[in-house]
Amino acid sequence: MMMDEKNLLEECRAMCIRMRKNSLKMSLAAGRTGAHLGGGLSMIEIMAVLYYAVMKINPKDTYSEQRDRFILSKGHGVLALYAAMYERGFFSEDDLENFKADNALLSGHPSMNQEKGIEFSSGSLGQGLSLGVGVCIALNRKNNFDSKVYVLLGDGECDEGSVWEAAASASHYNLKNLVAIIDKNGLQYDGRTQEVLSMSDMGNKWRSFGWEVREVDGHDVSELYHAFQTESDKPLAVIANTVKGKGISFMEDDPKWHHAQLTQKLYDMAMKELEDMT
């Protein structure tokens, strides 16, 4: 984007409110089947900064070899991904309104559709970082060291041993074009992440695997933006401290919003809160 940093980040902040509104609209459209709204809302700022201010992507040229790649390993956070891609022109408003409908483009987890810019299918936790390692190795063998691969994981997902196998491999192969983002909202399906399996010193765990680490407020677009600008000869891990359900007071840090049905009454309450922010 050709604008100065201040205006760039201001647009990202405005985009976040629109993305939260569209996440609510998609959740309402899902009806009785519900949606993973809480973990999508914790990712909003991360996705806004990546898709608006950081990644080299073009909705009119989704097959470009020089594009950056994004892998949503935390596939249930897909509302934030779709909302960001809509902002960048990958999807239409009709696509959002038909979220999770039969034969619709936008399913409850990402389903690979290269033409529409959905790079990879995901949903089975613990797989995305391994995929990112493989994509980076393939790019490097083609002498493409400029395209970056961004992989977003949940902190609960880091319970999976496959994540740490991939982390060790990334360091071993010196994949400096790989960026892992950990949405550290402190909650997972089974409860609080610290109670399910403690990852108390997440930053040093990634450092011990040979990664460059930045720890940020995951709802501060400026901190996120500058973390993504980090230059290093190592793969980069950005640990984003977030709040599940961020932006909607009655959803924040409430595990029941991991997956739930959004009624019209709750939708109206949530939308009013977002309107009051503008």
Side-chain angles (χ1 to χ4, degrees), residues 193-230:
T193 55
Q194 285 295 93
E195 296 170 2
V196 175
L197 184 63
S198 177
M199 293 280 175
S200 57
D201 198 348
M202 181 78 77
N204 277 337
K205 283 182 171 62
W206 286 90
R207 290 184 186 95
S208 72
F209 277 82
W211 288 59
E212 190 76 27
V213 175
R214 295 290 180 271
E215 300 187 52
V216 300
D217 178 346
H219 300 301
D220 186 315
V221 297
S222 179
E223 286 192 24
L224 286 163
Y225 178 74
H226 289 107
F228 290 132
Q229 306 307 309
T230 301

Side-chain angles (χ1 to χ4, degrees), residues 3 14 50 61 72 77 79 104 106 112 115 124 140 145 152 166 244 258 276:
M3 63 175 71
L50 284 176
D61 188 8
L72 181 59
L79 290 172
L106 305 184
M112 184 176 178
E115 183 179 355
S124 181
N140 291 352
F145 300 97
L152 195 151
K244 199 156 192 168
H258 179 85
D276 290 343

Side-chain angles (χ1 to χ4, degrees), residues 1 8-9 12 45-57 68 88 146 148 150 179 181 221-230 236:
M1 297 290 175
L8 183 72
L9 297 180
C12 280
E45 281 77 14
I46 298 168
M47 299 307 297
V49 172
L50 284 176
Y51 269 81
Y52 190 77
V54 173
M55 291 200 303
K56 296 178 297 182
I57 49 173
D68 290 334
R88 286 300 310 270
D146 294 324
K148 290 194 173 183
Y150 296 87
V179 181
I181 308 116
V221 297
S222 179
E223 286 192 24
L224 286 163
Y225 178 74
H226 289 107
F228 290 132
Q229 306 307 309
T230 301
L236 172 66

Side-chain angles (χ1 to χ4, degrees), residues 158-176:
C158 293
D159 293 355
E160 302 276 2
S162 55
V163 170
W164 302 105
E165 292 177 39
S169 297
S171 177
H172 174 77
Y173 289 109
N174 192 31
L175 301 180
K176 61 182 181 180

Side-chain angles (χ1 to χ4, degrees), residues 23-35:
S23 295
L24 291 171
K25 290 176 183 177
M26 284 185 278
S27 294
L28 186 65
R32 294 176 65 184
T33 64

